[in-house]
Every structure is written in structure tokens, then in C-alpha cells.
Amino acid sequence: MDRLSHSDYSRLLDFIAALQEPIMLKDFGAMMVRISSELLPGATIAFDQIHERTGNYYGFDHNVQIDAAEQVKMHARLQEVYKENPIYAYIQSGGQGPIVDLDHLMPKQAFRRTDFYQDIFRPYGINHQVSVLLSRPGWINTLTLNHGRPLPGKMKTLLALATRHIRLAHQAACQADEISAVSEMITAKLTPREQEIFHWVGQGKSNAETAIILGCATRTVEKHMENILQKTSLESRNAIMANSAGKAAGASFS
């Protein structure tokens, strides 16, 4: 590993701190591109989210400076040719990284004959790519560093040090997203009034406190609580509070 300067370590600490900020999963890619561009100035950064199970979703965030029309054109072409990227074949064969250097997967001349290189790399002066592979069942999620020249050793060192934190942040965001989805399925079974009671009980309020907040009788809240527990298959108000805590995390990280 190349030796890092004080400013390198400072950027790395800022990067790790940024990963701790609450972020919705749908916004994770844009956040990763932004903070990775600050950590690794000079690299073309992209974050891909490909839904392999259906093939009908390809999220693509990047820091390439192009206008909206060119971006739409590039994205459409990328969806057509991304499977020609040797990293795709590496993933399909069971490769898990976590860091994969494209230069190690295919001879350069063979790669340059692909449509992927000609239509995605070549127009933007890209010749080299290093990817961080992120685990998510049914998806291909990658953070990629792209460069015209082989990535400098210092850039690779920073990426290696950051990778564990990137993977943990992504894992937390995915888990919170799943919790949030389950919580939404639960509350969808409830009437509007039951949802209000579910919310306040989830915040730790007693039946009496909830009744005061909603301007109704305590017995009314108790009756609604019986219905809520029956509809959601939750066993107690403690389970409701635990579920609400998961939903709050989902709202922050999903």
C-alpha cells in the first residue's frame, strides 16, 4: 500500500463519517458518488444498482459531466451492453471481490473489441476500472472507479481502507429498507384510527396518554389495541415499539 498524507487521512475520516449519516436506500448511490468523488478526486465514479431477478431496473449514479440528453443516451446504451463488462462475468461465476480490477479479468485488446468499451468507456476517455462489489440478494450493486490511466497506488490504498465501511453502510441501508417494507405491510392492515394509535404506542405512550393525545376514551384505545394486536400478529405493545423503532430506522436508511 502507498503511504498516505495527512490530507489523505483527513479525507478518509470525513468519508467514513459521511457514511454514518442517515440515508434512504434509493439515495445511496448518489451519496456514494458524491462522497467518493471527494475522497478520490480525479476519478470518474459510478454506482450501479441492477435488479438481476427481473432485469427491469438499472439505477446508475455518476459524476460524468454531461448534459441531460447525453446522460439518457449513455444510460440506455449501458443497459444494453453492461453484460459485456468482464466484471459482470466475474460476478456471475461466483466472484465476490470485494475489490475487483478489470485489468485482471480480460486481456486489454480483447476488452477493447467489446461494444461496452467502444460505447461506454472510449467516449469518456476511460481505460481502467476498479469496482467494489456490494452484497444484495437478487441485485448487482457496484461502486466503480474509472480512469484513463491505471489507478494511482494512493487511490487504491484509500479505496482499500474505505471498502469495509462502504459495505457495512450498504448492508445497514438494505436491512433498514427491508424493515421499513415489513412495517408498511403491517400498518396497511390497520384503519386510519388504528394507525394513529399504533404510532403513539410505538412511541412509548401508554393507553391513557394516547387517549389524551387523540381526544378519546382510554377504553376506546384499549379496544383498538386489541384489534391492532390481532391484525398484525404482534404479541404486545413492546413488539409494537420494536417494530416502530425498525420503521424509524427504515425511514432514515432505506
Side-chain angles (χ1 to χ4, degrees), residues 69-141:
E70 180 66 17
Q71 179 167 301
V72 170
K73 179 181 177 182
M74 177 178 69
H75 190 188
R77 185 56 176 153
L78 182 59
Q79 293 179 76
E80 295 173 346
V81 301
Y82 76 89
K83 293 183 179 181
E84 294 184 9
N85 187 330
I87 291 177
Y88 176 82
Y90 171 83
I91 294 171
Q92 295 304 306
S93 67
Q96 298 180 352
I99 299 177
V100 185
D101 191 331
L102 187 150
D103 289 348
H104 299 161
L105 301 180
M106 179 183 284
K108 187 174 299 183
Q109 293 303 318
F111 178 57
R112 288 183 174 177
R113 288 193 294 269
T114 65
D115 288 339
F116 181 89
Y117 174 82
Q118 293 295 328
D119 297 345
I120 303 300
F121 271 25
R122 189 168 178 269
Y124 305 102
I126 297 171
N127 292 294
H128 303 273
Q129 181 180 85
V130 174
S131 295
V132 177
L133 307 186
L134 302 172
S135 177
R136 185 181 178 191
W139 293 74
I140 294 176
N141 286 174

Side-chain angles (χ1 to χ4, degrees), residues 12-23 28 31-32 35 162 164-166 168-169 172 252-253:
L12 179 61
L13 290 175
D14 288 343
F15 177 88
I16 293 172
L19 289 175
Q20 313 310 311
E21 295 293 326
I23 186 74
F28 190 84
M31 180 271 289
M32 282 305 310
I35 65 175
R164 177 174 178 271
H165 301 281
I166 295 169
L168 287 173
S252 295
F253 291 100

